[in-house]
Amino acid sequence: MAIVDVEGLTKKYELRKTGDVIVGLDDVSFTVDEGEILGVIGKSGAGKSTLLQILRGIENFDSGRVVVDNVVLTPESSRDQFSKVQRKTAIHLQRSFALWGQSILHNVMRKVCSARTGLEDLPEHPAEYEDVKAEAMEIVDLVGLKDKYNYFYNILSGGEKQRVLLARQLAFKPRVLLLDEPATMSDPLTRREIMDTIKKIHEKLNLTIILVSHMPEVHEYLADRLIMLEDGKITYEGQTSEALRYFTQQIADPVPLEPVTSDREKILRLKNVWKKYRLLTSNELIQTIEMKNINFTIPKGVIMAMIGPTAKGKTVLIRLLSGIEKPDEGEVLVNVSGEFVDIAKYGRKSIIARQKIEVMHQEFGLMHNETVIDQFSYRLGLKSIKTVERALERAEELGITDLKLDVLYRLADLPEDEARALLQKMELSQDIFYELFPRFPESETRK
Ligand SMILES: Nc1ncnc2c1ncn2[C@@H]1O[C@H](COP(=O)(O)OP(=O)(O)OP(=O)(O)O)[C@@H](O)[C@H]1O
Ligand SMILES: [Mg+2]
C-alpha cells in the first residue's frame, strides 16, 4: 500500500531581488509503498532537495497534492496540517553537521527529549533521565555506535557523524525517513559503513525511505526503485539497475590527461614537515594524526591528487599548504618570483605569498544572504595585489602590525564559521575586515 502519494506537484521559487521565477518542481507524480526504499537521482539543481523539503512539510508548493501516511497536503492546507506531516517524517539534510559538542549518547538523548517535549533539554529528574537514556542507547546501538556512545562528536569520523545524525532522526520515530545525500564526502569504506547502517535501519524498523543521491552505487546498494529528476520533471522511473543505466549513459567518457614533463618550475614545497594532533574524548586520549617528516614538491600547472581513508590528514595537508595551519616543524615553501617563502612564518612576505593560493573547503565557506556577484567581489578583493598593498598601508595607519594583519588575513581563508569564532575570540568585529580589505569594485568584478 502506498504510504506516500504525490500528484501533480509543482513548486516555483520567485526571487525577490530580480523577480525571476525558477521552477523547482514541475508536475511531479509518484507513489512510495510502505517499507520501500525509493531512490531519487538527478543532476544538480534538478529539484531533489526541493522535493524532500516539501515531503518533510517545511516548504509550501504551488499546485498538486501530497499525501504522507494519510495526511493530505495541498497549497491551501492549514499550518496545522503541515505540522502533522512534519510529525510523520524526519530528514537527514545535505551538508548539515550541526550537532551538540557533547557525547554521541547526549546528542541522541536530546533528540529523544525533543520528540517527547519539543525541546532538546535533557531531563533533570533521574528516573526520566534513565528512561530517555535507555531509549537513546537502543538507537545508538542500531546505528552501530554503542562502543563509542561516550565519544565527543568533534572527534568522530565523517561516517560516524553521519550515523549520529541518522540516530537523531530515528529518535522521532518517523513513518517516512528522508535522506538527502547521506553519503557525501566519504571514502568508499565509510560510504559502505553508512549504507550498511541505512540497510540495517530499514530492515529492523521496516521503515519507508526516500533516498536522494548523486552516487549510482548508493542506489544500487539500497534502492528498490528509482526515479530520475531533470529540471523539476520526472524523466525516468524504473527498476534501479535499469534506471541507473539510463542515467550513466548521459555521462561522457573521461578524456585522458597529457603526461607531465619533469622540467617544470616548482611552485610549492613541503620540507621536513611534522604535525601532530591529539584529541580528548570525554575520558580517553586519542591520537588522531601524526605526520612525520613529509616532503614533496608540486610543479607549476600540475594537478596533484591526494587519496586516503577518512581522518588520515588530507584536509590538514591542505590547510598546511594554504598557510591556515602551521606545522609543528618544517617549512611550507611557496615560490614567489623565484624566491621560496616560508608561509608558516607570519608576516608581510607570507601574506604576499599566500595571495597566490586559494582554498576550497570541504565545509563550504560562503556567506549567506549575499548574491553571487558579491561573493566574487569579496574574494577578488582579498586576493588582488592592490588590495594587499592598500591593507598594509591601512594597517600602518591604524597601528596594526604586519603580524596582526597576517593573522587577520589568514582568517579570510578559513571556512566562515571558523573565522567568525576566531574573530570573536580575539574580541574583534567583522568590520575590521571590511576596513582592511575592501570589496573589489562591482564593474571590475563583473569583468
Ligand atoms: N530557496 C530557494 N530560492 C530560490 N530558488 C531555489 C531555492 N531553493 C532551490 N532553488 C532552485 O530550485 C532548483 C532546484 O533546487 P534543488 O536544491 O532542489 O536541487 P537539487 O536537485 O537538490 O540539487 P543538488 O544535487 O545540487 O543538491 C534550482 O534551480 C535551485 O536554484
Ligand atoms: Mg540537493
Side-chain angles (χ1 to χ4, degrees):
M1 224 198 68
I3 184 168
V4 175
D5 188 352
V6 174
E7 236 182 77
L9 180 61
T10 297
K11 163 80 187 174
K12 295 187 187 107
Y13 291 104
E14 201 181 317
L15 301 189
R16 237 174 298 146
K17 256 195 180 168
T18 59
D20 291 353
V21 174
I22 293 167
V23 178
L25 292 170
D26 185 6
D27 196 17
V28 165
S29 305
F30 65 93
T31 60
V32 191
D33 284 339
E34 173 119 46
E36 191 182 20
I37 301 184
L38 176 76
V40 182
I41 202 164
K43 280 184 233 151
S44 220
K48 305 180 299 293
S49 295
T50 301
L51 176 65
L52 290 196
Q53 308 276 13
I54 292 172
L55 290 171
R56 175 77 184 101
I58 51 177
E59 184 83 76
N60 213 324
F61 46 96
D62 296 283
S63 56
R65 203 175 77 120
V66 171
V67 187
V68 181
D69 195 24
N70 299 317
V71 183
V72 182
L73 284 185
T74 65
E76 291 77 37
S77 292
S78 64
R79 200 182 268 198
D80 196 43
Q81 205 69 0
F82 275 87
S83 312
K84 268 190 202 159
V85 167
Q86 284 167 25
R87 285 194 291 275
K88 300 274 185 196
T89 58
I91 194 164
H92 178 98
L93 280 180
Q94 194 174 13
R95 308 182 198 113
S96 154
F97 292 96
L99 287 170
W100 296 77
Q102 297 179 335
S103 70
I104 294 179
L105 181 65
H106 276 157
N107 268 290
V108 179
M109 281 177 71
R110 284 179 182 278
K111 265 288 193 257
V112 172
C113 292
S114 164
R116 290 182 185 188
T117 66
L119 295 173
E120 293 209 10
D121 298 339
L122 291 170
E124 278 165 24
H125 196 276
E128 201 191 334
Y129 186 93
E130 286 307 316
D131 189 43
V132 169
K133 185 175 163 184
E135 189 177 328
M137 207 59 181
E138 228 169 89
I139 303 170
V140 171
D141 189 17
L142 189 63
V143 298
L145 290 172
K146 200 175 179 180
D147 294 343
K148 295 192 171 177
Y149 78 93
N150 65 347
Y151 279 33
F152 272 40
Y153 145 78
N154 59 317
I155 61 153
L156 300 178
S157 73
E160 287 164 347
K161 280 182 193 167
Q162 296 274 17
R163 278 147 68 197
V164 177
L165 289 170
L166 275 174
R168 275 166 62 83
Q169 293 311 325
L170 293 178
F172 284 117
K173 302 197 179 82
R175 295 278 289 131
V176 179
L177 181 63
L178 309 167
L179 303 174
D180 200 351
E181 299 287 0
T184 43
M185 299 200 287
S186 52
D187 66 85
L189 283 177
T190 311
R191 192 142 64 232
R192 175 56 75 91
E193 171 191 306
I194 296 167
M195 291 193 303
D196 280 334
T197 307
I198 294 170
K199 202 168 215 168
K200 190 169 153 202
I201 291 168
H202 175 247
E203 278 162 10
K204 284 233 161 154
L205 308 177
N206 189 33
L207 202 57
T208 308
I209 296 176
I210 299 179
L211 167 70
V212 166
S213 179
H214 290 289
M215 285 177 236
E217 61 180 284
V218 171
H219 290 302
E220 195 100 59
Y221 201 67
L222 293 169
D224 298 309
R225 199 157 51 92
L226 203 59
I227 58 178
M228 189 171 139
L229 277 178
E230 238 171 316
D231 298 327
K233 286 193 186 72
I234 294 184
T235 51
Y236 200 89
E237 182 174 357
Q239 290 310 310
T240 305
S241 51
E242 183 191 327
L244 284 177
R245 220 173 304 129
Y246 180 79
F247 183 68
T248 44
Q249 259 172 19
Q250 305 179 330
I251 306 166
D253 287 334
V255 182
L257 296 171
E258 295 282 329
V260 178
T261 52
S262 60
D263 56 355
R264 292 182 188 224
E265 188 189 3
K266 306 289 183 282
I267 207 91
L268 269 170
R269 182 157 179 216
L270 233 59
K271 201 172 156 193
N272 308 331
V273 164
W274 294 66
K275 180 89 189 167
K276 203 188 254 183
Y277 272 111
R278 283 202 203 86
L279 281 170
L280 222 49
T281 67
S282 48
N283 56 7
E284 53 192 302
L285 185 73
I286 291 187
Q287 182 99 9
T288 51
I289 279 173
E290 187 165 17
M291 291 183 183
K292 294 177 187 168
N293 209 19
I294 304 232
N295 286 284
F296 63 78
T297 52
I298 306 178
K300 191 171 185 170
V302 157
I303 300 176
M304 195 193 88
M306 231 192 293
I307 191 166
T310 298
K312 290 293 179 251
K314 300 183 296 300
T315 299
V316 171
L317 258 183
I318 292 277
R319 290 169 73 105
L320 288 169
L321 282 170
S322 53
I324 294 170
E325 196 106 33
K326 282 175 158 218
D328 298 335
E329 266 174 67
E331 295 169 306
V332 182
L333 303 164
V334 177
N335 184 342
V336 184
S337 333
E339 182 196 354
F340 275 99
V341 174
D342 185 354
I343 57 168
K345 291 207 177 79
Y346 283 31
R348 193 176 284 240
K349 272 194 173 174
S350 175
I351 295 180
I352 291 163
R354 286 194 337 271
Q355 262 185 313
K356 299 179 175 296
I357 305 167
E358 185 62 276
V359 207
M360 184 176 147
H361 292 280
Q362 195 172 15
E363 277 103 26
F364 287 9
L366 291 180
M367 292 155 286
H368 285 277
N369 304 316
E370 294 251 23
T371 59
V372 173
I373 195 100
D374 280 344
Q375 311 248 6
F376 266 107
S377 71
Y378 179 67
R379 288 315 295 180
L380 279 177
L382 281 169
K383 293 283 165 175
S384 89
I385 306 280
K386 263 196 223 131
T387 307
V388 167
E389 279 169 7
R390 222 182 302 138
L392 287 164
E393 275 168 34
R394 279 295 288 151
E396 227 167 81
E397 282 168 32
L398 294 166
I400 295 174
T401 60
D402 283 2
L403 186 79
K404 266 195 196 147
L405 179 68
D406 192 359
V407 172
L408 285 170
Y409 191 54
R410 251 163 240 261
L411 294 185
D413 278 331
L414 286 171
E416 199 199 356
D417 49 346
E418 232 178 288
R420 209 181 296 136
L422 278 170
L423 271 176
Q424 237 168 37
K425 216 166 145 186
M426 294 191 278
E427 291 174 6
L428 288 170
S429 86
Q430 207 142 4
D431 299 343
I432 187 88
F433 244 90
Y434 301 130
E435 182 117 12
L436 289 167
F437 309 106
R439 277 154 196 265
F440 222 55
E442 186 172 314
S443 54
E444 289 296 305
T445 307
R446 281 187 192 279
K447 261 193 231 166

